[in-house]
Amino acid sequence: MSHISRFILGCLLATANVVYAADVIKTKGRSVLVDLKGEAASVGDQYYTLNSSGKKSGLIVIRKITGDKAIGRLARGKANVGMTLSDKVKVSAGSKPNSRPLRTQSKTPHHWGVLGGYSMDSMKVKVLWQSADAATGRAKGDQKEVASLTGTGYSAKGLFDYDMGSFTVRALSGIETYNASGVSSCGTGNNQVCITEIVYLTADAMARYIFMKEKFRPWAGLGLSLLFPVSASGTALDPASVGSTWMGILGGGLDYHVSPRLYIPISLEYGLFPPSDQVDATWIQVRIGFAVPY
């Protein structure tokens, strides 16, 4: 065998020890479909994508395996159709920072963050007042009126998300204000302004369904909020009658993944207080914030 033949054979054998036969057959956003071609792989394995020159172009993490096909997520760089995959990336505790591959979404399902909110509050409250005859000044009896109140409130809450795949559980806790006002008798018959101002300490939980695991992740969900009044004032309700309560929540929104370790949660929520004989109250709330792995 000639020296040239031995050299070529040696190069081929060396390459065979580094490069898998697996290659990229389809891409969509940051999702990558890989043909494993019989190579063994497991969920969580990391691979470099190699261009036609054999140079590293990107890093993918395997998320799902079905038969001889695997779905990965691009953590960095590029993954084009036709690129081959390197051997599995070995990450050890003692590896140097410069040699450690970048990760895609953190493997921990826990994320924490903060949310700020702006709400449009509305309330219908039944008020009673005693009218008097204009001529004699004598009482004519109790009069009932339904006062329609509107206003705006604010919220600031801590966020905790637990990822279970397509479903996530979001927990919130913090301060929520409810403010509503309107021109009404409020029990006096003189058209004074009706006001309700309440500050709540809240604990919320929402089950969310994520429609797709991409950079933009739309979702819809149902939740429950427990509200504990910190302060209450106004003329529409007796402040002493304002106690702990709950609220049903219907929501939807978007988690915008700015990077593998940061996303911006945006939500639009409709909240309904339990109805009573005296009060019907709702709010529509817009929230935005940020979340990172915990």
Side-chain angles (χ1 to χ4, degrees), residues 110-116 156-162 169-174 204 208 219 254-255 263-267 269 287-294:
H110 310 291
H111 293 80
W112 70 272
V114 294
L115 280 175
K157 299 188 178 186
L159 170 152
F160 180 81
D161 279 352
Y162 186 85
V169 175
R170 171 165 291 177
L172 302 172
S173 183
D204 314 338
R208 305 186 305 149
W219 60 269
L254 182 74
D255 291 344
Y263 64 88
I264 298 175
I266 304 170
S267 66
E269 303 170 13
R287 304 187 198 271
I288 187 169
F290 72 88
V292 296
Y294 172 73

PDB file of all heavy atoms in Angstrom, residues 110-116 156-162 169-174 204 208 219 254-255 263-267 269 287-294:
ATOM      1  N   HIS A 110     -37.835  24.773  36.926  1.00  0.00           N
ATOM      2  CA  HIS A 110     -38.232  25.874  37.787  1.00  0.00           C
ATOM      3  C   HIS A 110     -37.741  27.207  37.218  1.00  0.00           C
ATOM      4  O   HIS A 110     -36.599  27.319  36.790  1.00  0.00           O
ATOM      5  CB  HIS A 110     -37.654  25.699  39.197  1.00  0.00           C
ATOM      6  CG  HIS A 110     -37.907  24.353  39.793  1.00  0.00           C
ATOM      7  ND1 HIS A 110     -39.165  23.930  40.164  1.00  0.00           N
ATOM      8  CD2 HIS A 110     -37.071  23.331  40.076  1.00  0.00           C
ATOM      9  CE1 HIS A 110     -39.086  22.718  40.660  1.00  0.00           C
ATOM     10  NE2 HIS A 110     -37.825  22.322  40.608  1.00  0.00           N
ATOM     11  N   HIS A 111     -38.615  28.197  37.229  1.00  0.00           N
ATOM     12  CA  HIS A 111     -38.243  29.557  36.838  1.00  0.00           C
ATOM     13  C   HIS A 111     -38.897  30.541  37.806  1.00  0.00           C
ATOM     14  O   HIS A 111     -39.992  30.288  38.307  1.00  0.00           O
ATOM     15  CB  HIS A 111     -38.703  29.869  35.409  1.00  0.00           C
ATOM     16  CG  HIS A 111     -38.003  29.067  34.365  1.00  0.00           C
ATOM     17  ND1 HIS A 111     -38.361  27.771  34.077  1.00  0.00           N
ATOM     18  CD2 HIS A 111     -36.969  29.375  33.546  1.00  0.00           C
ATOM     19  CE1 HIS A 111     -37.572  27.309  33.122  1.00  0.00           C
ATOM     20  NE2 HIS A 111     -36.731  28.256  32.789  1.00  0.00           N
ATOM     21  N   TRP A 112     -38.215  31.623  38.073  1.00  0.00           N
ATOM     22  CA  TRP A 112     -38.791  32.648  38.928  1.00  0.00           C
ATOM     23  C   TRP A 112     -38.609  34.000  38.258  1.00  0.00           C
ATOM     24  O   TRP A 112     -37.783  34.174  37.375  1.00  0.00           O
ATOM     25  CB  TRP A 112     -38.145  32.645  40.317  1.00  0.00           C
ATOM     26  CG  TRP A 112     -36.718  33.122  40.322  1.00  0.00           C
ATOM     27  CD1 TRP A 112     -35.601  32.379  40.126  1.00  0.00           C
ATOM     28  CD2 TRP A 112     -36.279  34.467  40.510  1.00  0.00           C
ATOM     29  NE1 TRP A 112     -34.476  33.162  40.166  1.00  0.00           N
ATOM     30  CE2 TRP A 112     -34.860  34.453  40.406  1.00  0.00           C
ATOM     31  CE3 TRP A 112     -36.929  35.675  40.745  1.00  0.00           C
ATOM     32  CZ2 TRP A 112     -34.098  35.608  40.540  1.00  0.00           C
ATOM     33  CZ3 TRP A 112     -36.163  36.818  40.874  1.00  0.00           C
ATOM     34  CH2 TRP A 112     -34.765  36.784  40.780  1.00  0.00           C
ATOM     35  N   GLY A 113     -39.408  34.968  38.705  1.00  0.00           N
ATOM     36  CA  GLY A 113     -39.318  36.300  38.118  1.00  0.00           C
ATOM     37  C   GLY A 113     -40.263  37.260  38.807  1.00  0.00           C
ATOM     38  O   GLY A 113     -40.739  37.000  39.920  1.00  0.00           O
ATOM     39  N   VAL A 114     -40.554  38.351  38.146  1.00  0.00           N
ATOM     40  CA  VAL A 114     -41.469  39.363  38.675  1.00  0.00           C
ATOM     41  C   VAL A 114     -42.425  39.794  37.562  1.00  0.00           C
ATOM     42  O   VAL A 114     -42.102  39.723  36.376  1.00  0.00           O
ATOM     43  CB  VAL A 114     -40.714  40.598  39.216  1.00  0.00           C
ATOM     44  CG1 VAL A 114     -39.884  40.227  40.425  1.00  0.00           C
ATOM     45  CG2 VAL A 114     -39.841  41.222  38.141  1.00  0.00           C
ATOM     46  N   LEU A 115     -43.608  40.239  37.962  1.00  0.00           N
ATOM     47  CA  LEU A 115     -44.629  40.734  37.033  1.00  0.00           C
ATOM     48  C   LEU A 115     -45.219  42.031  37.580  1.00  0.00           C
ATOM     49  O   LEU A 115     -45.513  42.132  38.772  1.00  0.00           O
ATOM     50  CB  LEU A 115     -45.757  39.716  36.853  1.00  0.00           C
ATOM     51  CG  LEU A 115     -45.540  38.545  35.898  1.00  0.00           C
ATOM     52  CD1 LEU A 115     -46.738  37.604  35.969  1.00  0.00           C
ATOM     53  CD2 LEU A 115     -45.338  39.028  34.479  1.00  0.00           C
ATOM     54  N   GLY A 116     -45.396  42.989  36.695  1.00  0.00           N
ATOM     55  CA  GLY A 116     -46.132  44.199  37.028  1.00  0.00           C
ATOM     56  C   GLY A 116     -47.418  44.216  36.218  1.00  0.00           C
ATOM     57  O   GLY A 116     -47.455  43.750  35.073  1.00  0.00           O
ATOM     58  N   ALA A 156     -48.049  44.278  41.676  1.00  0.00           N
ATOM     59  CA  ALA A 156     -46.633  43.919  41.623  1.00  0.00           C
ATOM     60  C   ALA A 156     -46.497  42.571  42.317  1.00  0.00           C
ATOM     61  O   ALA A 156     -46.832  42.448  43.510  1.00  0.00           O
ATOM     62  CB  ALA A 156     -45.781  44.977  42.320  1.00  0.00           C
ATOM     63  N   LYS A 157     -46.020  41.561  41.567  1.00  0.00           N
ATOM     64  CA  LYS A 157     -46.027  40.208  42.110  1.00  0.00           C
ATOM     65  C   LYS A 157     -44.760  39.448  41.738  1.00  0.00           C
ATOM     66  O   LYS A 157     -44.150  39.683  40.696  1.00  0.00           O
ATOM     67  CB  LYS A 157     -47.250  39.428  41.580  1.00  0.00           C
ATOM     68  CG  LYS A 157     -48.586  40.034  41.964  1.00  0.00           C
ATOM     69  CD  LYS A 157     -49.739  39.139  41.604  1.00  0.00           C
ATOM     70  CE  LYS A 157     -51.074  39.739  42.046  1.00  0.00           C
ATOM     71  NZ  LYS A 157     -52.206  38.813  41.818  1.00  0.00           N
ATOM     72  N   GLY A 158     -44.404  38.521  42.623  1.00  0.00           N
ATOM     73  CA  GLY A 158     -43.357  37.564  42.310  1.00  0.00           C
ATOM     74  C   GLY A 158     -43.955  36.397  41.549  1.00  0.00           C
ATOM     75  O   GLY A 158     -45.131  36.036  41.746  1.00  0.00           O
ATOM     76  N   LEU A 159     -43.167  35.808  40.665  1.00  0.00           N
ATOM     77  CA  LEU A 159     -43.632  34.741  39.775  1.00  0.00           C
ATOM     78  C   LEU A 159     -42.814  33.478  39.995  1.00  0.00           C
ATOM     79  O   LEU A 159     -41.601  33.527  40.188  1.00  0.00           O
ATOM     80  CB  LEU A 159     -43.522  35.206  38.321  1.00  0.00           C
ATOM     81  CG  LEU A 159     -43.734  34.209  37.183  1.00  0.00           C
ATOM     82  CD1 LEU A 159     -44.266  34.939  35.951  1.00  0.00           C
ATOM     83  CD2 LEU A 159     -42.434  33.491  36.802  1.00  0.00           C
ATOM     84  N   PHE A 160     -43.492  32.330  39.935  1.00  0.00           N
ATOM     85  CA  PHE A 160     -42.808  31.035  39.954  1.00  0.00           C
ATOM     86  C   PHE A 160     -43.490  30.128  38.944  1.00  0.00           C
ATOM     87  O   PHE A 160     -44.693  29.873  39.041  1.00  0.00           O
ATOM     88  CB  PHE A 160     -42.866  30.407  41.348  1.00  0.00           C
ATOM     89  CG  PHE A 160     -42.180  29.066  41.427  1.00  0.00           C
ATOM     90  CD1 PHE A 160     -40.807  28.980  41.570  1.00  0.00           C
ATOM     91  CD2 PHE A 160     -42.917  27.904  41.351  1.00  0.00           C
ATOM     92  CE1 PHE A 160     -40.172  27.745  41.637  1.00  0.00           C
ATOM     93  CE2 PHE A 160     -42.295  26.663  41.422  1.00  0.00           C
ATOM     94  CZ  PHE A 160     -40.914  26.591  41.562  1.00  0.00           C
ATOM     95  N   ASP A 161     -42.740  29.649  37.939  1.00  0.00           N
ATOM     96  CA  ASP A 161     -43.263  28.757  36.903  1.00  0.00           C
ATOM     97  C   ASP A 161     -42.660  27.371  37.065  1.00  0.00           C
ATOM     98  O   ASP A 161     -41.439  27.232  37.249  1.00  0.00           O
ATOM     99  CB  ASP A 161     -42.918  29.282  35.500  1.00  0.00           C
ATOM    100  CG  ASP A 161     -43.871  30.366  35.049  1.00  0.00           C
ATOM    101  OD1 ASP A 161     -44.882  30.596  35.748  1.00  0.00           O
ATOM    102  OD2 ASP A 161     -43.616  30.995  34.005  1.00  0.00           O
ATOM    103  N   TYR A 162     -43.516  26.347  36.973  1.00  0.00           N
ATOM    104  CA  TYR A 162     -43.052  24.954  36.992  1.00  0.00           C
ATOM    105  C   TYR A 162     -43.455  24.311  35.675  1.00  0.00           C
ATOM    106  O   TYR A 162     -44.638  24.207  35.356  1.00  0.00           O
ATOM    107  CB  TYR A 162     -43.657  24.188  38.164  1.00  0.00           C
ATOM    108  CG  TYR A 162     -43.090  22.790  38.312  1.00  0.00           C
ATOM    109  CD1 TYR A 162     -41.911  22.583  39.019  1.00  0.00           C
ATOM    110  CD2 TYR A 162     -43.714  21.698  37.728  1.00  0.00           C
ATOM    111  CE1 TYR A 162     -41.375  21.319  39.150  1.00  0.00           C
ATOM    112  CE2 TYR A 162     -43.186  20.423  37.848  1.00  0.00           C
ATOM    113  CZ  TYR A 162     -42.010  20.238  38.563  1.00  0.00           C
ATOM    114  OH  TYR A 162     -41.483  18.988  38.681  1.00  0.00           O
ATOM    115  N   VAL A 169     -47.451  25.197  35.544  1.00  0.00           N
ATOM    116  CA  VAL A 169     -48.183  25.783  36.664  1.00  0.00           C
ATOM    117  C   VAL A 169     -47.491  27.094  37.019  1.00  0.00           C
ATOM    118  O   VAL A 169     -46.278  27.115  37.238  1.00  0.00           O
ATOM    119  CB  VAL A 169     -48.198  24.844  37.881  1.00  0.00           C
ATOM    120  CG1 VAL A 169     -48.866  25.537  39.068  1.00  0.00           C
ATOM    121  CG2 VAL A 169     -48.936  23.553  37.546  1.00  0.00           C
ATOM    122  N   ARG A 170     -48.244  28.158  37.049  1.00  0.00           N
ATOM    123  CA  ARG A 170     -47.706  29.475  37.397  1.00  0.00           C
ATOM    124  C   ARG A 170     -48.286  29.916  38.738  1.00  0.00           C
ATOM    125  O   ARG A 170     -49.510  29.944  38.919  1.00  0.00           O
ATOM    126  CB  ARG A 170     -48.025  30.503  36.321  1.00  0.00           C
ATOM    127  CG  ARG A 170     -47.686  31.950  36.702  1.00  0.00           C
ATOM    128  CD  ARG A 170     -47.684  32.865  35.503  1.00  0.00           C
ATOM    129  NE  ARG A 170     -46.568  32.558  34.620  1.00  0.00           N
ATOM    130  CZ  ARG A 170     -46.364  33.175  33.452  1.00  0.00           C
ATOM    131  NH1 ARG A 170     -47.206  34.125  33.040  1.00  0.00           N
ATOM    132  NH2 ARG A 170     -45.332  32.833  32.696  1.00  0.00           N
ATOM    133  N   ALA A 171     -47.414  30.240  39.655  1.00  0.00           N
ATOM    134  CA  ALA A 171     -47.827  30.756  40.964  1.00  0.00           C
ATOM    135  C   ALA A 171     -47.368  32.204  41.095  1.00  0.00           C
ATOM    136  O   ALA A 171     -46.249  32.542  40.697  1.00  0.00           O
ATOM    137  CB  ALA A 171     -47.235  29.907  42.083  1.00  0.00           C
ATOM    138  N   LEU A 172     -48.243  33.053  41.642  1.00  0.00           N
ATOM    139  CA  LEU A 172     -47.948  34.470  41.836  1.00  0.00           C
ATOM    140  C   LEU A 172     -48.290  34.866  43.262  1.00  0.00           C
ATOM    141  O   LEU A 172     -49.230  34.330  43.861  1.00  0.00           O
ATOM    142  CB  LEU A 172     -48.757  35.338  40.866  1.00  0.00           C
ATOM    143  CG  LEU A 172     -48.594  35.105  39.366  1.00  0.00           C
ATOM    144  CD1 LEU A 172     -49.625  35.930  38.604  1.00  0.00           C
ATOM    145  CD2 LEU A 172     -47.195  35.475  38.931  1.00  0.00           C
ATOM    146  N   SER A 173     -47.550  35.815  43.795  1.00  0.00           N
ATOM    147  CA  SER A 173     -47.874  36.364  45.107  1.00  0.00           C
ATOM    148  C   SER A 173     -47.386  37.804  45.179  1.00  0.00           C
ATOM    149  O   SER A 173     -46.284  38.111  44.708  1.00  0.00           O
ATOM    150  CB  SER A 173     -47.214  35.539  46.214  1.00  0.00           C
ATOM    151  OG  SER A 173     -47.575  36.033  47.488  1.00  0.00           O
ATOM    152  N   GLY A 174     -48.217  38.682  45.741  1.00  0.00           N
ATOM    153  CA  GLY A 174     -47.822  40.074  45.830  1.00  0.00           C
ATOM    154  C   GLY A 174     -48.986  40.978  46.187  1.00  0.00           C
ATOM    155  O   GLY A 174     -49.939  40.565  46.847  1.00  0.00           O
ATOM    156  N   ASP A 204     -51.869  33.495  43.998  1.00  0.00           N
ATOM    157  CA  ASP A 204     -52.535  33.023  42.794  1.00  0.00           C
ATOM    158  C   ASP A 204     -51.896  31.726  42.294  1.00  0.00           C
ATOM    159  O   ASP A 204     -50.693  31.493  42.469  1.00  0.00           O
ATOM    160  CB  ASP A 204     -52.441  34.050  41.658  1.00  0.00           C
ATOM    161  CG  ASP A 204     -52.760  35.466  42.117  1.00  0.00           C
ATOM    162  OD1 ASP A 204     -53.444  35.600  43.146  1.00  0.00           O
ATOM    163  OD2 ASP A 204     -52.320  36.414  41.450  1.00  0.00           O
ATOM    164  N   ARG A 208     -51.567  26.360  32.958  1.00  0.00           N
ATOM    165  CA  ARG A 208     -51.446  26.911  31.611  1.00  0.00           C
ATOM    166  C   ARG A 208     -51.116  25.806  30.604  1.00  0.00           C
ATOM    167  O   ARG A 208     -50.342  24.894  30.902  1.00  0.00           O
ATOM    168  CB  ARG A 208     -50.348  27.971  31.549  1.00  0.00           C
ATOM    169  CG  ARG A 208     -50.505  29.097  32.556  1.00  0.00           C
ATOM    170  CD  ARG A 208     -49.433  30.165  32.313  1.00  0.00           C
ATOM    171  NE  ARG A 208     -48.100  29.611  32.330  1.00  0.00           N
ATOM    172  CZ  ARG A 208     -47.074  30.082  31.620  1.00  0.00           C
ATOM    173  NH1 ARG A 208     -47.247  31.123  30.824  1.00  0.00           N
ATOM    174  NH2 ARG A 208     -45.875  29.535  31.708  1.00  0.00           N
ATOM    175  N   TRP A 219     -50.035  30.792  25.158  1.00  0.00           N
ATOM    176  CA  TRP A 219     -50.656  29.892  26.118  1.00  0.00           C
ATOM    177  C   TRP A 219     -52.050  30.375  26.496  1.00  0.00           C
ATOM    178  O   TRP A 219     -52.417  31.527  26.277  1.00  0.00           O
ATOM    179  CB  TRP A 219     -49.797  29.765  27.380  1.00  0.00           C
ATOM    180  CG  TRP A 219     -49.557  31.047  28.115  1.00  0.00           C
ATOM    181  CD1 TRP A 219     -48.524  31.920  27.945  1.00  0.00           C
ATOM    182  CD2 TRP A 219     -50.393  31.647  29.129  1.00  0.00           C
ATOM    183  NE1 TRP A 219     -48.645  32.998  28.777  1.00  0.00           N
ATOM    184  CE2 TRP A 219     -49.774  32.853  29.527  1.00  0.00           C
ATOM    185  CE3 TRP A 219     -51.580  31.255  29.752  1.00  0.00           C
ATOM    186  CZ2 TRP A 219     -50.323  33.690  30.499  1.00  0.00           C
ATOM    187  CZ3 TRP A 219     -52.128  32.084  30.727  1.00  0.00           C
ATOM    188  CH2 TRP A 219     -51.500  33.280  31.088  1.00  0.00           C
ATOM    189  N   LEU A 254     -48.332  35.180  26.316  1.00  0.00           N
ATOM    190  CA  LEU A 254     -47.172  34.814  25.517  1.00  0.00           C
ATOM    191  C   LEU A 254     -45.931  34.862  26.399  1.00  0.00           C
ATOM    192  O   LEU A 254     -45.738  35.813  27.158  1.00  0.00           O
ATOM    193  CB  LEU A 254     -47.018  35.800  24.355  1.00  0.00           C
ATOM    194  CG  LEU A 254     -45.884  35.571  23.371  1.00  0.00           C
ATOM    195  CD1 LEU A 254     -46.204  34.392  22.469  1.00  0.00           C
ATOM    196  CD2 LEU A 254     -45.666  36.830  22.522  1.00  0.00           C
ATOM    197  N   ASP A 255     -45.108  33.815  26.317  1.00  0.00           N
ATOM    198  CA  ASP A 255     -43.790  33.832  26.938  1.00  0.00           C
ATOM    199  C   ASP A 255     -42.766  34.022  25.823  1.00  0.00           C
ATOM    200  O   ASP A 255     -42.572  33.129  24.989  1.00  0.00           O
ATOM    201  CB  ASP A 255     -43.507  32.525  27.691  1.00  0.00           C
ATOM    202  CG  ASP A 255     -44.366  32.378  28.934  1.00  0.00           C
ATOM    203  OD1 ASP A 255     -44.938  33.386  29.374  1.00  0.00           O
ATOM    204  OD2 ASP A 255     -44.467  31.254  29.457  1.00  0.00           O
ATOM    205  N   TYR A 263     -36.794  34.816  29.730  1.00  0.00           N
ATOM    206  CA  TYR A 263     -37.989  35.055  28.913  1.00  0.00           C
ATOM    207  C   TYR A 263     -38.854  36.131  29.553  1.00  0.00           C
ATOM    208  O   TYR A 263     -38.774  36.407  30.744  1.00  0.00           O
ATOM    209  CB  TYR A 263     -38.785  33.775  28.646  1.00  0.00           C
ATOM    210  CG  TYR A 263     -39.393  33.080  29.837  1.00  0.00           C
ATOM    211  CD1 TYR A 263     -40.653  33.423  30.312  1.00  0.00           C
ATOM    212  CD2 TYR A 263     -38.732  32.027  30.460  1.00  0.00           C
ATOM    213  CE1 TYR A 263     -41.225  32.756  31.379  1.00  0.00           C
ATOM    214  CE2 TYR A 263     -39.288  31.347  31.523  1.00  0.00           C
ATOM    215  CZ  TYR A 263     -40.541  31.706  31.978  1.00  0.00           C
ATOM    216  OH  TYR A 263     -41.104  31.050  33.041  1.00  0.00           O
ATOM    217  N   ILE A 264     -39.652  36.767  28.689  1.00  0.00           N
ATOM    218  CA  ILE A 264     -40.536  37.847  29.105  1.00  0.00           C
ATOM    219  C   ILE A 264     -41.971  37.322  29.100  1.00  0.00           C
ATOM    220  O   ILE A 264     -42.529  37.041  28.029  1.00  0.00           O
ATOM    221  CB  ILE A 264     -40.414  39.058  28.165  1.00  0.00           C
ATOM    222  CG1 ILE A 264     -38.981  39.620  28.214  1.00  0.00           C
ATOM    223  CG2 ILE A 264     -41.417  40.143  28.544  1.00  0.00           C
ATOM    224  CD1 ILE A 264     -38.730  40.735  27.232  1.00  0.00           C
ATOM    225  N   PRO A 265     -42.591  37.140  30.264  1.00  0.00           N
ATOM    226  CA  PRO A 265     -43.987  36.707  30.310  1.00  0.00           C
ATOM    227  C   PRO A 265     -44.937  37.887  30.122  1.00  0.00           C
ATOM    228  O   PRO A 265     -44.794  38.927  30.770  1.00  0.00           O
ATOM    229  CB  PRO A 265     -44.116  36.109  31.715  1.00  0.00           C
ATOM    230  CG  PRO A 265     -43.085  36.818  32.524  1.00  0.00           C
ATOM    231  CD  PRO A 265     -41.973  37.214  31.587  1.00  0.00           C
ATOM    232  N   ILE A 266     -45.887  37.718  29.214  1.00  0.00           N
ATOM    233  CA  ILE A 266     -46.915  38.730  28.952  1.00  0.00           C
ATOM    234  C   ILE A 266     -48.270  38.042  29.059  1.00  0.00           C
ATOM    235  O   ILE A 266     -48.460  36.964  28.489  1.00  0.00           O
ATOM    236  CB  ILE A 266     -46.748  39.357  27.555  1.00  0.00           C
ATOM    237  CG1 ILE A 266     -45.337  39.957  27.385  1.00  0.00           C
ATOM    238  CG2 ILE A 266     -47.807  40.420  27.300  1.00  0.00           C
ATOM    239  CD1 ILE A 266     -45.028  40.370  25.963  1.00  0.00           C
ATOM    240  N   SER A 267     -49.201  38.636  29.771  1.00  0.00           N
ATOM    241  CA  SER A 267     -50.505  37.988  29.933  1.00  0.00           C
ATOM    242  C   SER A 267     -51.642  38.998  29.919  1.00  0.00           C
ATOM    243  O   SER A 267     -51.462  40.170  30.273  1.00  0.00           O
ATOM    244  CB  SER A 267     -50.548  37.181  31.233  1.00  0.00           C
ATOM    245  OG  SER A 267     -50.471  38.032  32.362  1.00  0.00           O
ATOM    246  N   GLU A 269     -55.568  38.889  31.442  1.00  0.00           N
ATOM    247  CA  GLU A 269     -56.384  38.073  32.333  1.00  0.00           C
ATOM    248  C   GLU A 269     -57.720  38.747  32.632  1.00  0.00           C
ATOM    249  O   GLU A 269     -57.797  39.966  32.747  1.00  0.00           O
ATOM    250  CB  GLU A 269     -55.641  37.803  33.645  1.00  0.00           C
ATOM    251  CG  GLU A 269     -54.285  37.126  33.452  1.00  0.00           C
ATOM    252  CD  GLU A 269     -53.478  37.085  34.727  1.00  0.00           C
ATOM    253  OE1 GLU A 269     -54.052  37.361  35.805  1.00  0.00           O
ATOM    254  OE2 GLU A 269     -52.264  36.793  34.662  1.00  0.00           O
ATOM    255  N   ARG A 287     -50.389  42.072  32.278  1.00  0.00           N
ATOM    256  CA  ARG A 287     -49.172  41.920  33.070  1.00  0.00           C
ATOM    257  C   ARG A 287     -47.966  41.716  32.157  1.00  0.00           C
ATOM    258  O   ARG A 287     -48.078  41.101  31.089  1.00  0.00           O
ATOM    259  CB  ARG A 287     -49.270  40.729  34.021  1.00  0.00           C
ATOM    260  CG  ARG A 287     -50.452  40.738  34.974  1.00  0.00           C
ATOM    261  CD  ARG A 287     -50.321  39.589  35.970  1.00  0.00           C
ATOM    262  NE  ARG A 287     -51.572  39.290  36.627  1.00  0.00           N
ATOM    263  CZ  ARG A 287     -51.995  39.850  37.743  1.00  0.00           C
ATOM    264  NH1 ARG A 287     -51.262  40.777  38.320  1.00  0.00           N
ATOM    265  NH2 ARG A 287     -53.141  39.497  38.299  1.00  0.00           N
ATOM    266  N   ILE A 288     -46.807  42.163  32.606  1.00  0.00           N
ATOM    267  CA  ILE A 288     -45.548  41.941  31.889  1.00  0.00           C
ATOM    268  C   ILE A 288     -44.406  41.921  32.904  1.00  0.00           C
ATOM    269  O   ILE A 288     -44.473  42.595  33.936  1.00  0.00           O
ATOM    270  CB  ILE A 288     -45.309  43.023  30.812  1.00  0.00           C
ATOM    271  CG1 ILE A 288     -44.088  42.677  29.949  1.00  0.00           C
ATOM    272  CG2 ILE A 288     -45.158  44.392  31.426  1.00  0.00           C
ATOM    273  CD1 ILE A 288     -43.957  43.553  28.722  1.00  0.00           C
ATOM    274  N   GLY A 289     -43.384  41.120  32.615  1.00  0.00           N
ATOM    275  CA  GLY A 289     -42.259  41.030  33.542  1.00  0.00           C
ATOM    276  C   GLY A 289     -41.104  40.267  32.937  1.00  0.00           C
ATOM    277  O   GLY A 289     -40.871  40.344  31.720  1.00  0.00           O
ATOM    278  N   PHE A 290     -40.369  39.510  33.754  1.00  0.00           N
ATOM    279  CA  PHE A 290     -39.279  38.680  33.254  1.00  0.00           C
ATOM    280  C   PHE A 290     -39.138  37.460  34.162  1.00  0.00           C
ATOM    281  O   PHE A 290     -39.572  37.461  35.307  1.00  0.00           O
ATOM    282  CB  PHE A 290     -37.963  39.459  33.198  1.00  0.00           C
ATOM    283  CG  PHE A 290     -37.347  39.745  34.543  1.00  0.00           C
ATOM    284  CD1 PHE A 290     -36.480  38.839  35.148  1.00  0.00           C
ATOM    285  CD2 PHE A 290     -37.647  40.927  35.212  1.00  0.00           C
ATOM    286  CE1 PHE A 290     -35.936  39.106  36.390  1.00  0.00           C
ATOM    287  CE2 PHE A 290     -37.091  41.205  36.460  1.00  0.00           C
ATOM    288  CZ  PHE A 290     -36.225  40.276  37.050  1.00  0.00           C
ATOM    289  N   ALA A 291     -38.532  36.396  33.622  1.00  0.00           N
ATOM    290  CA  ALA A 291     -38.319  35.167  34.386  1.00  0.00           C
ATOM    291  C   ALA A 291     -37.007  34.523  33.966  1.00  0.00           C
ATOM    292  O   ALA A 291     -36.619  34.591  32.796  1.00  0.00           O
ATOM    293  CB  ALA A 291     -39.483  34.190  34.185  1.00  0.00           C
ATOM    294  N   VAL A 292     -36.320  33.901  34.921  1.00  0.00           N
ATOM    295  CA  VAL A 292     -35.044  33.216  34.680  1.00  0.00           C
ATOM    296  C   VAL A 292     -35.083  31.873  35.400  1.00  0.00           C
ATOM    297  O   VAL A 292     -35.887  31.660  36.306  1.00  0.00           O
ATOM    298  CB  VAL A 292     -33.854  34.068  35.185  1.00  0.00           C
ATOM    299  CG1 VAL A 292     -33.743  35.375  34.426  1.00  0.00           C
ATOM    300  CG2 VAL A 292     -33.998  34.341  36.686  1.00  0.00           C
ATOM    301  N   PRO A 293     -34.196  30.916  35.032  1.00  0.00           N
ATOM    302  CA  PRO A 293     -34.171  29.617  35.713  1.00  0.00           C
ATOM    303  C   PRO A 293     -33.810  29.769  37.180  1.00  0.00           C
ATOM    304  O   PRO A 293     -33.047  30.661  37.565  1.00  0.00           O
ATOM    305  CB  PRO A 293     -33.088  28.838  34.959  1.00  0.00           C
ATOM    306  CG  PRO A 293     -32.976  29.510  33.635  1.00  0.00           C
ATOM    307  CD  PRO A 293     -33.267  30.965  33.884  1.00  0.00           C
ATOM    308  N   TYR A 294     -34.356  28.873  37.978  1.00  0.00           N
ATOM    309  CA  TYR A 294     -34.051  28.873  39.412  1.00  0.00           C
ATOM    310  C   TYR A 294     -33.175  27.659  39.733  1.00  0.00           C
ATOM    311  O   TYR A 294     -33.547  26.541  39.411  1.00  0.00           O
ATOM    312  CB  TYR A 294     -35.360  28.795  40.198  1.00  0.00           C
ATOM    313  CG  TYR A 294     -35.175  28.591  41.682  1.00  0.00           C
ATOM    314  CD1 TYR A 294     -34.716  29.621  42.478  1.00  0.00           C
ATOM    315  CD2 TYR A 294     -35.456  27.355  42.261  1.00  0.00           C
ATOM    316  CE1 TYR A 294     -34.544  29.442  43.848  1.00  0.00           C
ATOM    317  CE2 TYR A 294     -35.288  27.180  43.634  1.00  0.00           C
ATOM    318  CZ  TYR A 294     -34.837  28.213  44.415  1.00  0.00           C
ATOM    319  OH  TYR A 294     -34.666  28.035  45.765  1.00  0.00           O
TER     320      TYR A 294
END
